Amino acid sequence: MPTGTPTPLQRGASQPLAGQLAERYAQRIRERLLLPGARLPSVRDCARQHGVSPHTVVAAYDQLQAAGLLEARRQRGFFVRESRPAPTRTAARTPAVAAPRQVPMDATALIRGMFEADAARSPGLGTLPADWLDPTLLQSALRRLNAADSLAVQVGYGEPSGDARLRAALARRLDDLGIHANPAHILTTNGATHALDLIIRTQLQPGDAVLVDDPGWAIMFARLTQAGIRLLPVPRAGQGAQGPDLDVLAALAAQHAPRAYLTVSVLHNPTGHSLNLATAHKLLRLADEHDFFIVEDDSYGFLAPEHVPRLAALDGLRRVTYVAGFSKVLTPAWRVGYLAAAPERLRALTDTKLLDGLTSSPVLERAVALCLEQGRLRRHAQRLRERLATARQRVAALATRQGFAWAAPPDGLFGWLDVGVDTERLAQPLLDAGWLIAPGALFSATRRPGSLMRINMATSQDPAFWRTLRAAVDGLHNPSPHP
């Protein structure tokens, strides 16, 4: 801050003194009147300059640290961070020089972006936009629940294994997919992510090696790493690919003796690939040969034709644990998922669920059961598949018109686009233009940069995005000379 007496803070104002003080420093940082590396006054000096208590200064500095503008250095004080994030929400007016917005580049940012993103401006979104879902289906299910079900369903804990009516409906759903499981083979969860988390915590130990798809799901990489698991990336991309590279998988299995393989077999995120029958059979033989189990994540299964082979159908739930959920086609707000496994695996998983949170929601589970029983969810999924097929045709035409190529033929919700430049570098100019993309490095277990990016077929139909993408790519190929 400049020397001399600063303008007094406004006591009695609606904004607390700590907030006012934090706002002053935040604005000076954004306007580059305080440069990265600059040291702020000590707590005692700052309190004396502004006529406030040291507690007020500590609270203000805490707010600035939380906003990413300051860092505390042990026994040295508080310093402006070298890499400054986007402006804080406490700014009273537009700064003269705005700080550059940061590109989300880790799993936590990816989750946060899912909540904050505007779907119409998010070609990299991982879900269907809200206006593709069917709120009347959900409202109808809840009304039927209120009218038809006992008070015990609505006020009780529910069953540890999950609502019996839902598990019966799920057994029929699995039978349609060729997976022969009775309700006793099924455990309901708070979404598919919760099911995967239960498997990690129950069946894996720190130090275990686990095969994973690469590219794959960044959030799963983060969960496994947090649990102390060693990741063995198996390539899964390229024209004509029908699943993982089995030669690489076999070599990794022989060298590292993995405990498990976590994979998305149908409408893989982010490539859109689905396993063909021959690849699935070879993969199961490798699992037998090297004695690892397989977790088959079928989160996007409702968006695929039912005839697409599932590993669990071929394996009979011997080595395969099958995981799925409903948030991709119903609503993310209904956290209902499930897993199907052999009884000896299911007992330990149920115990972990009990310790984790007792039971899952009996009300939402019964509502999903009603959606399945009446066939309304099946019809809704069919409408989504038809709408996605139309969207893929439109997006493919827009991409071709701008000269872009797909790493593999798009299918389901996602396409894996090759733009010819580093998509991490591309993310910033697109974000500045108002478009949130998903660079390929987000889906790499080793954060490997490259020219690929995930495209959401439902949210990438605006020609303006493709024109902006073309201009941004050309700008990286041919940067403007500095004056």
Side-chain angles (χ1 to χ4, degrees):
M1 299 290 285
T3 57
T5 303
T7 304
L9 301 174
Q10 298 300 309
R11 297 180 182 274
S14 58
Q15 186 180 25
L17 293 175
Q20 295 180 47
L21 185 58
E23 183 178 297
R24 288 190 181 187
Y25 280 107
Q27 185 171 330
R28 293 184 66 79
I29 292 169
R30 290 193 300 272
E31 293 178 351
R32 301 188 66 80
L33 298 174
L34 283 171
L35 296 175
R39 183 178 181 178
L40 267 65
S42 69
V43 170
R44 189 177 300 276
D45 287 344
C46 186
R48 184 169 54 251
Q49 289 174 15
H50 292 276
V52 296
S53 72
H55 295 295
T56 297
V57 178
V58 169
Y61 283 6
D62 282 346
Q63 291 180 35
L64 292 166
Q65 287 185 81
L69 298 175
L70 288 190
E71 61 180 357
R73 300 179 186 173
R74 188 174 178 82
Q75 297 182 337
R76 294 187 61 198
F78 295 88
F79 294 80
V80 178
R81 283 178 60 110
E82 294 291 337
S83 178
R84 294 180 294 113
T88 60
R89 295 180 179 179
T90 56
R93 56 182 183 271
T94 302
V97 179
R101 284 178 286 180
Q102 302 298 303
V103 180
M105 282 311 301
D106 58 29
T108 303
L110 198 61
I111 299 172
R112 189 181 300 115
M114 193 164 59
F115 292 101
E116 298 175 353
D118 173 7
R121 307 283 293 182
S122 302
L125 194 68
T127 60
L128 287 167
D131 60 1
W132 281 51
L133 304 178
D134 186 355
T136 60
L137 185 153
L138 307 178
Q139 294 163 5
S140 175
L142 290 173
R143 282 196 301 269
R144 292 200 307 276
L145 173 69
N146 292 335
D149 289 273
S150 67
L151 186 63
V153 172
Q154 301 182 50
V155 301
Y157 272 118
E159 302 177 42
S161 296
D163 181 67
R165 196 160 159 184
L166 174 59
R167 287 186 290 119
L170 291 172
R172 292 190 291 272
R173 157 75 181 167
L174 292 177
D175 193 60
D176 290 341
L177 301 177
I179 303 170
H180 302 301
N182 62 48
H185 293 116
I186 297 171
L187 176 69
T188 64
T189 59
N190 297 313
T193 301
H194 181 220
L196 292 165
D197 193 48
L198 291 179
I199 293 167
I200 292 171
R201 291 163 53 198
T202 305
Q203 299 182 336
L204 297 174
Q205 298 292 329
D208 282 348
V210 169
L211 298 156
V212 293
D213 292 330
D214 192 359
W217 192 26
I219 296 170
M220 185 48 55
F221 296 156
R223 283 177 176 269
L224 289 166
T225 301
Q226 190 177 58
I229 306 301
R230 293 186 294 125
L231 304 186
L232 304 177
V234 180
R236 184 170 177 160
Q239 284 286 356
Q242 296 291 337
D245 186 324
L246 295 183
D247 290 336
V248 173
L249 190 151
L252 289 171
Q255 182 178 355
H256 298 281
R259 182 82 179 93
Y261 175 34
L262 275 63
T263 185
V264 178
S265 61
V266 174
L267 300 184
H268 173 256
N269 177 16
T271 66
H273 296 159
S274 294
L275 286 183
N276 63 14
L277 201 55
T279 302
H281 276 295
K282 291 175 184 176
L283 175 56
L284 291 171
R285 284 203 301 270
L286 285 171
D288 280 337
E289 180 182 345
H290 296 282
D291 193 25
F292 59 82
F293 69 89
I294 297 174
V295 180
E296 180 177 30
D297 180 358
D298 199 19
S299 291
Y300 298 92
F302 274 105
L303 302 178
E306 291 180 355
H307 67 267
V308 177
R310 267 70 172 184
L311 291 166
L314 300 172
D315 173 74
L317 298 178
R318 186 174 54 91
R319 285 191 178 272
V320 176
T321 297
Y322 177 88
V323 172
F326 298 90
S327 64
K328 300 297 187 292
V329 293
L330 276 175
T331 170
W334 286 24
R335 305 302 301 156
V336 178
Y338 65 101
L339 58 84
E344 59 271 20
R345 294 186 187 275
L346 207 61
R347 283 190 290 271
L349 290 164
T350 304
D351 288 345
T352 303
K353 177 186 173 182
L354 278 167
L355 293 173
D356 185 52
L358 297 181
T359 63
S360 39
S361 170
V363 174
L364 293 183
E365 289 183 356
R366 183 61 60 87
V368 171
L370 292 170
C371 292
L372 287 167
E373 290 171 353
Q374 301 298 319
R376 298 189 64 185
L377 182 53
R378 183 191 294 271
R379 294 191 293 273
H380 171 59
Q382 178 61 37
R383 290 192 294 270
L384 288 177
R385 289 194 292 269
E386 293 170 355
R387 192 172 179 183
L388 272 175
T390 301
R392 283 196 300 273
Q393 291 179 350
R394 176 174 173 79
V395 170
L398 289 168
T400 300
R401 190 178 306 160
Q402 296 298 336
F404 296 117
W406 302 98
D411 199 4
L413 182 57
F414 300 125
W416 197 224
L417 189 72
D418 193 338
V419 297
V421 299
D422 184 349
T423 49
E424 282 195 278
R425 293 180 58 211
L426 188 64
Q428 186 63 61
L430 284 169
L431 190 60
D432 290 339
W435 300 99
L436 183 64
I437 66 167
L442 283 174
F443 305 96
S444 168
T446 58
R447 294 290 296 276
R448 183 177 63 254
S451 60
L452 296 163
M453 59 188 281
R454 184 180 72 183
I455 291 292
N456 183 314
M457 296 297 159
T459 62
S460 302
Q461 299 183 69
D462 188 342
F465 162 68
W466 293 95
R467 292 193 295 269
T468 305
L469 178 62
R470 179 75 267 169
V473 169
D474 291 345
L476 290 181
H477 275 307
N478 305 296
S480 300
H482 293 291

